[in-house]
Amino acid sequence: RFQGDHKTNYIEMVREAIDANDRLYLFSYENMRSNHFKDVRLHFRGSSSDKNSMSDENDSSSGTDGRIFLGKNKLLQIALGRGPEDEYSDNLHKLSKILSGSVGVLCTNQSASDVEEYFAKLAVEDFARAGAIAPRSVSLTKEQVETHPVSMVEQFRKLGLPVEVKNGRVSFIGGREEWEVCKEGKELSVEQCKILVHFGVKL
């Protein structure tokens, strides 16, 4: 019964947000870290918050200026309505049909231009996760590896870096000037991500 009440409350919360705001947006996201998403919630939440609202962990935020819902696509579809006969407001069933995957719903009174500009600039650089697609190619120079102690050579080799000790310094094998860690558009491996983190490279 508790679970049923929980679902009912969530649906009601979505519909209250629809009534309280002028605009509804569907947005998609990838590799979103919780600390970054809190900034998004705060941006649209306004200056005050409802202490009775569901927490970030339960996929919603509330306040005077807007609300964001994500992570419960099926419940969102019920709240919006799955067809013309049960949609909560005109044309919401059309939005419901495309609710799938890593998406969220934003209810806000902010202007369309402000919302679109905010999301257009939202991309945040962070340390990459294994399995993500590299947004750009990254190469290390010989100067970057030379600054490390020779005791790091074995660890670097385990991560796939082609290094050796030459004249008491860590160097690339064969005297190469640089080595490509990852290529734009290619999936990142665990080892590549560890190399990027070690050298402080965010994507």
Side-chain angles (χ1 to χ4, degrees), residues 166-185:
K166 188 174 183 180
N167 298 325
R169 287 186 171 185
V170 180
S171 303
F172 286 125
I173 293 175
R176 65 173 68 184
E177 295 291 316
E178 63 179 35
W179 183 77
E180 188 175 65
V181 179
C182 61
K183 188 180 293 290
E184 180 180 354

Side-chain angles (χ1 to χ4, degrees), residues 29-89:
Y29 59 91
E30 59 181 34
N31 299 319
M32 179 70 85
R33 305 279 177 104
S34 58
N35 57 320
H36 295 323
F37 196 72
K38 284 180 181 178
D39 293 336
V40 179
R41 292 186 184 277
L42 287 172
H43 177 82
F44 289 104
R45 190 172 63 184
S47 59
S48 64
S49 61
D50 178 1
K51 292 182 180 179
N52 294 320
S53 68
M54 299 172 72
S55 66
D56 282 350
E57 183 180 351
N58 288 320
D59 307 322
S60 76
S61 65
S62 67
T64 57
D65 196 34
R67 242 179 209 187
I68 289 177
F69 301 93
L70 74 160
K72 292 181 170 66
N73 290 349
K74 289 185 178 180
L75 287 180
L76 281 170
Q77 287 175 329
I78 294 172
L80 298 174
R82 292 174 171 169
E85 67 283 350
D86 66 351
E87 63 183 3
Y88 183 66
S89 188

Side-chain angles (χ1 to χ4, degrees), residues 100-134:
S100 63
S102 299
V103 297
V105 170
L106 165 65
C107 303
T108 182
N109 285 318
Q110 292 192 24
S111 69
S113 59
D114 286 346
V115 172
E116 290 169 7
E117 181 180 2
Y118 176 80
F119 278 102
K121 297 178 179 178
L122 184 59
V124 178
E125 286 195 337
D126 202 347
F127 291 117
R129 292 176 174 178
I133 303 301

